[in-house]
Amino acid sequence: QVQLVESGGGLVQPGGSLRLSCAASGSIFRRNDGDWYRQAPGKQRELVATITSGGSTTYTDSVKGRVTISKDNAKNTMYLQLSDLKYEDTAVYYCHAATKPCIECRTIDHWGQGTQVTVRS
């Protein structure tokens, strides 16, 4: 069973930076796309960034230019570098990957437990 474990969250001042990590129990990011989502208090979970198995990246408009998603296939780890953090970036950040064991199989969503990022002066 795939396990995803996030780390790296914390309290940071506006304008600060954090690097989040998502360690997988297997080589899930080598063969599948990986995503970072976030959920702020009272809001729905939203997609922040995606990295494909081939390494292509996409970002939601609100974080473009401030956030970088990356991965290290050898370490089975995905990262999210957060820079120039704003109050509205405060949220629980989750890593996600979807796998499909066979062509006829249903997609299985894998989520980490989340890591809290709080931006406060």
Side-chain angles (χ1 to χ4, degrees):
Q1 182 164 344
V2 174
Q3 289 188 322
L4 302 176
V5 180
E6 300 100 333
S7 61
L11 176 63
V12 63
Q13 293 185 339
S17 300
L18 283 174
R19 189 175 84 153
L20 309 183
S21 299
C22 174
S25 57
S27 56
I28 189 172
F29 299 125
R30 186 187 303 273
R31 297 188 294 267
N32 302 278
D33 298 350
D35 316 283
W36 284 95
Y37 284 75
R38 67 184 180 185
Q39 187 166 20
K43 294 189 176 182
Q44 290 188 330
R45 192 173 296 189
E46 66 168 348
L47 178 63
V48 176
T50 297
I51 185 164
T52 68
S53 57
S56 298
T57 59
T58 56
Y59 302 92
T60 192
D61 286 344
S62 62
V63 304
K64 281 181 181 177
R66 302 188 298 115
V67 167
T68 302
I69 188 171
S70 62
K71 62 177 179 173
D72 185 334
N73 287 334
K75 295 182 178 180
N76 297 328
T77 301
M78 182 173 65
Y79 304 98
L80 189 71
Q81 178 69 46
L82 305 170
S83 304
D84 189 23
L85 282 161
K86 306 177 184 301
Y87 294 115
E88 53 264 38
D89 294 318
T90 295
V92 179
Y93 285 72
Y94 298 90
C95 65
H96 167 266
T99 60
K100 197 172 183 184
C102 66
I103 294 176
E104 295 83 12
C105 296
R106 65 179 181 89
T107 298
I108 301 172
D109 289 298
H110 307 277
W111 293 93
Q113 82 288 353
T115 186
Q116 176 71 49
V117 172
T118 302
V119 184
R120 191 168 64 208
S121 58

